[in-house]
Amino acid sequence: MMRQFNSHSLPTSTDKAFNFNNLPTISAFPKDEKNWRIDWFGEIAFPNRLIRRKQPSVLVHLSRVFSDRYEEDQTILLSPKSTSPARFQRKIWISVGTLPLLRIGDIWRNGQLDSQPDYELEKFPDTLINRDTTHLVKAGLNLNDKGFLLPLAEHPWHMHCTQSYCVVVELADNRRIIVPCIELIRFYFGSSSNLIAKLFQPPLERKSLYSNAHFDKSSGRLTLELADHISGASAADIARIHQSKAAWHAAVQISTSILAASLNRQEIHPQGLFPFEGFTVLVAAGKWLSFEDNPRATFIVFNLRTCSHPFPFRSLRYEAKKKSDEANNSTPTSASSNTQIRRAAKDSINQNLVERDASNSLASKSKPIRLAPRFPDLTKKSIWKNKVLLDSEDLKCGYVTTASSVQNTSVGEPGSEQRIRSIDLTVLLNKDLSKHQPVPDFLKNVVSELMQLTDLTVELLTGSEEDGWTVPISIFSDEEGEIDLKLFIEDDSRGLRPRRVAIFSIKDSTKHFSAAIIEFTPTYVRVYDDHCMHIDHILSIVSADYINRRELKSLSILNLLKEKSKEGLT
């Protein structure tokens, strides 16, 4: 149950947003059947460069939870007596790339996530975020000698981290929200291990995140190319960094504050900022604390749940660098054979996430994890990428698996000879794209025909998060400002909605076509000669062609491609 601001009822449920059993075991956490709660995040450092040189770590503070009764009554956890005294906290170094898995308030057992209590779950509507309403403070601040913002009697769990930074958001009636900076960073930039790790290693440069960004103001569509090793799960975060000065400033502030503390030989506590300015609705789990005579003056955020502020684009198309088949994971056959056998080691079902640099001789992989949607705005926007369906080069290669399974994994770049797989924890906010998504009915025949083109490379250019295959058709108005209703379709559950369209790239060394398929019966197919035609242009002209069509009949995409080839269009 979630409360509106100023409500007094307490929730009684836990938020199991993703499958805990699918997560790796954190080997550095206590290996026992006791319940250990994440209390706070401390300083950043390289605690042992002999075994971990490629990525800094954060000092995680844990307390033992005494009673199992919190599962029935979460109010127990609001009391400092619910855990072992804070002076006896366990302090454990965990790589910063693990932050997508870690939230203050979550409870771990035997190295595995066991529970995500709601504590006091609050909704803060119409919250204004700008330079006047937000400011950085240290966790141990005594405000104007009137009292501590985080009184130890009510919240002792930060007592060893009083120099860590928090962001204060001023509310009406002399109340405030306090968000630990690392939690702010985790929530707004923790979409993948590789992204968050880059932010913690100064200096931050745009080219290390993306390149070739283009924003079309008329359609609100942003296109960009992600940098090496950046997952598509971080595309929306990076798009906001490109489009918003506030988001870029927030990203740079992390590495800048780390570098400044390091140069001054101080404990490194990163500073985080909101990546936007304006009104938003925040939902957060935490605890109300007193200040002066008000018993509910300060809400300390354990973990943010949702933020409604819109992203600065209507749709997003990104290109991710294709992972190369590295020689360290491939072994060629004899010189007399043209076939390459790729020997890939399997991963163990129950993997351990260890605090060591990964192996130089094992290819890195992504590890998708499920979270409840954090940004409602993204559920209404199209985000898509290219997806290779058929690669003529890959048909020349064989695939076998011979090596023993890999038991241990590590976030971050490889840098050792240990048998440890480098993984990128990627947060799936909407649909689980790691699972097979069925081909929409209107596309099935076309996809079936395309898969017969064994001598060509076929690439889907509209692999969206919504259904894995299509995006909404481009909507535009005529000179009189009217929108043609042909671009819409009747949907039983949602009423009138834009038709869907899929775009495929079909090419070999001499020919390059783009095929557009619009949701209609019979299937509407158009094939265009493509000399590096931008997908925005393809989407706009297929919409116009569909509106101005003379006659619709079912056409084979293979026949259309043959006709185009005969016309000499190459």
Side-chain angles (χ1 to χ4, degrees), residues 459-462 501-505 514-517 535 538-539 542:
E459 187 174 16
L460 175 67
L461 304 183
T462 52
V501 60
I503 309 292
F504 294 89
S505 168
S514 291
I517 300 91
I535 190 171
I538 299 172
L539 288 170
V542 74

Side-chain angles (χ1 to χ4, degrees), residues 47-264:
N48 189 342
R49 287 187 180 269
L50 293 177
I51 61 174
R52 198 73 165 113
R53 295 169 295 178
K54 294 292 185 176
Q55 186 168 126
S57 298
V58 58
L59 192 58
V60 180
H61 294 243
L62 303 174
S63 285
R64 181 186 167 191
V65 180
F66 284 135
S67 173
D68 290 334
R69 289 184 52 242
Y70 69 85
E71 295 180 356
E72 292 79 34
D73 182 8
Q74 291 187 38
T75 60
I76 292 174
L77 294 173
L78 298 176
S79 169
K81 295 181 179 179
S82 64
T83 68
S84 54
R87 64 180 182 274
F88 299 134
Q89 284 172 327
R90 292 280 294 271
K91 302 173 185 178
I92 298 172
W93 290 103
I94 303 292
S95 302
V96 295
T98 315
L99 281 173
L101 285 182
L102 307 178
R103 305 192 314 183
I104 295 174
D106 286 356
I107 296 174
W108 292 69
R109 179 185 299 173
N110 199 25
Q112 296 180 322
L113 181 59
D114 184 75
S115 180
Q116 295 184 308
D118 287 335
Y119 298 90
E120 294 184 89
L121 193 61
E122 291 285 1
K123 181 177 183 179
F124 299 93
D126 300 323
T127 303
L128 179 60
I129 305 295
N130 60 30
R131 295 182 180 181
D132 295 327
T133 61
T134 64
H135 51 274
L136 285 164
V137 300
K138 290 191 174 182
L141 177 66
N142 185 340
L143 185 61
N144 299 324
D145 293 327
K146 296 180 179 179
F148 292 96
L149 289 180
L150 303 180
L152 290 177
E154 300 174 39
H155 188 280
W157 300 291
H158 70 291
M159 66 180 301
H160 296 296
C161 306
T162 55
Q163 296 302 302
S164 63
Y165 285 97
C166 301
V167 171
V168 174
V169 183
E170 300 293 345
L171 304 174
D173 302 323
N174 293 320
R175 298 192 181 194
R176 64 192 67 85
I177 306 169
I178 294 184
V179 189
C181 280
I182 292 188
E183 167 55 21
L184 201 70
I185 296 166
R186 181 205 68 83
F187 180 78
Y188 286 105
F189 297 111
S191 48
S192 69
S193 297
N194 287 347
L195 171 59
I196 206 165
K198 285 184 181 295
L199 302 183
F200 276 83
Q201 299 182 65
L204 179 65
E205 297 179 305
R206 290 183 187 269
K207 66 181 181 181
S208 68
L209 303 178
Y210 69 95
S211 61
N212 300 325
H214 171 74
F215 182 67
D216 183 78
K217 292 183 178 180
S218 61
S219 66
R221 180 178 294 125
L222 175 65
T223 61
L224 52 79
E225 182 178 324
L226 300 179
D228 285 335
H229 308 299
I230 295 293
S231 165
S234 294
D237 291 344
I238 290 173
R240 175 153 58 182
I241 287 173
H242 170 71
Q243 288 289 95
S244 166
K245 291 182 179 179
W248 171 248
H249 179 56
V252 169
Q253 183 69 23
I254 301 167
S255 60
T256 300
S257 61
I258 288 173
L259 183 60
S262 176
L263 293 175
N264 291 327

